[in-house]
Amino acid sequence: GTMLIESVVTGPFQENVYLVARDRGEECVIIDPGDEADRIQARIDELGLRPVMILNTHGHLDHIGAVPDLRDAYSIPFAIHPADRFLLENVNEHARLFGLDGYRDPVVDRDLSEGETVEVAGLAFEVLGTPGHTPGGVTFVADVHAFVGDCLFLGSIGRTDLPGGDPAVLKTSLRDVLMKLPDETIVHSGHG
């Protein structure tokens, strides 16, 4: 079926937030709300969307910054793989290393597991384990769309020199998981 996929580029790291719904005026999922919750909310309002869940591909600072505000604003659950929970602790201390401030630690409502399908907003998101950029990194596949977080970019792959990164593990994820998706798959990355 058709899907509405809207991206909002947020924060100093120019991270891609995805609003995914069946159409305008419908329930939506927020994938990787990194920063600038107010701008994300403005786009949600413009499209008449009703957020029902926050899904995260991984737990790095630039992908989770707006999670607490949006979770509170819409009273919706936040889901992430448990292997990335360690990245959600002391977020503001980590932010200060980048000269940033005002971050809150997100509260996790639901643990994602590899191979499950999250049925939400009239859509089905298959959860594929794609660790390497982080230990709990996942890719969400809905129809022909793959939301890969930071494991794959146009012309390059994700960094492995950040907390939790492992180059050998990332290589396996790319080869055994992402490369096996159908050729018509449309890849939505975390940046760029």
Side-chain angles (χ1 to χ4, degrees):
T2 57
M3 273 164 69
L4 171 77
I5 299 174
E6 189 77 20
S7 68
V8 185
V9 182
T10 67
F13 300 99
Q14 293 292 284
E15 183 266 346
N16 295 325
V17 181
Y18 293 102
L19 306 175
V20 186
R22 282 188 307 197
D23 207 345
R24 284 172 172 256
E26 300 272 347
E27 293 184 337
C28 81
V29 171
I30 307 170
I31 298 179
D32 288 357
D35 208 336
E36 300 183 271
D38 51 345
R39 281 187 54 231
I40 298 169
Q41 286 182 262
R43 184 65 58 86
I44 288 168
D45 292 346
E46 270 170 46
L47 298 167
L49 298 173
R50 300 191 305 282
V52 287
M53 187 179 281
I54 299 168
L55 290 175
N56 263 61
T57 60
H58 66 294
H60 278 156
L61 174 73
D62 55 329
H63 288 252
I64 58 150
V67 168
D69 286 349
L70 294 171
R71 181 179 174 271
D72 290 353
Y74 297 108
S75 301
I76 55 174
F78 167 53
I80 194 167
H81 192 285
D84 269 14
R85 276 182 180 251
F86 76 102
L87 292 166
L88 309 179
E89 292 162 13
N90 308 309
V91 172
N92 205 48
E93 273 128 83
H94 187 60
R96 286 199 182 111
L97 301 175
F98 295 95
L100 304 170
D101 202 4
Y103 288 77
R104 289 194 285 153
D105 292 7
V107 174
V108 179
D109 302 288
R110 175 172 173 171
D111 287 329
L112 298 173
S113 54
E114 293 98 346
E116 77 165 309
T117 298
V118 179
E119 296 196 13
V120 62
L123 301 166
F125 295 88
E126 191 186 352
V127 180
L128 305 180
T130 48
H133 179 68
T134 63
V138 297
T139 289
F140 301 111
V141 178
D143 200 25
V144 296
H145 299 276
F147 300 89
V148 300
D150 287 358
C151 66
L152 186 66
F153 301 114
L154 184 62
S156 71
I157 62 169
R159 291 171 60 167
T160 54
D161 59 336
L162 297 163
D166 184 323
V169 173
L170 181 63
K171 195 172 174 181
T172 302
S173 293
L174 293 168
R175 187 186 64 220
D176 296 348
V177 183
L178 294 185
M179 296 307 280
K180 296 209 163 120
L181 292 171
D183 287 347
E184 63 270 19
T185 303
I186 300 163
V187 174
H188 302 272
S189 56
H191 303 266

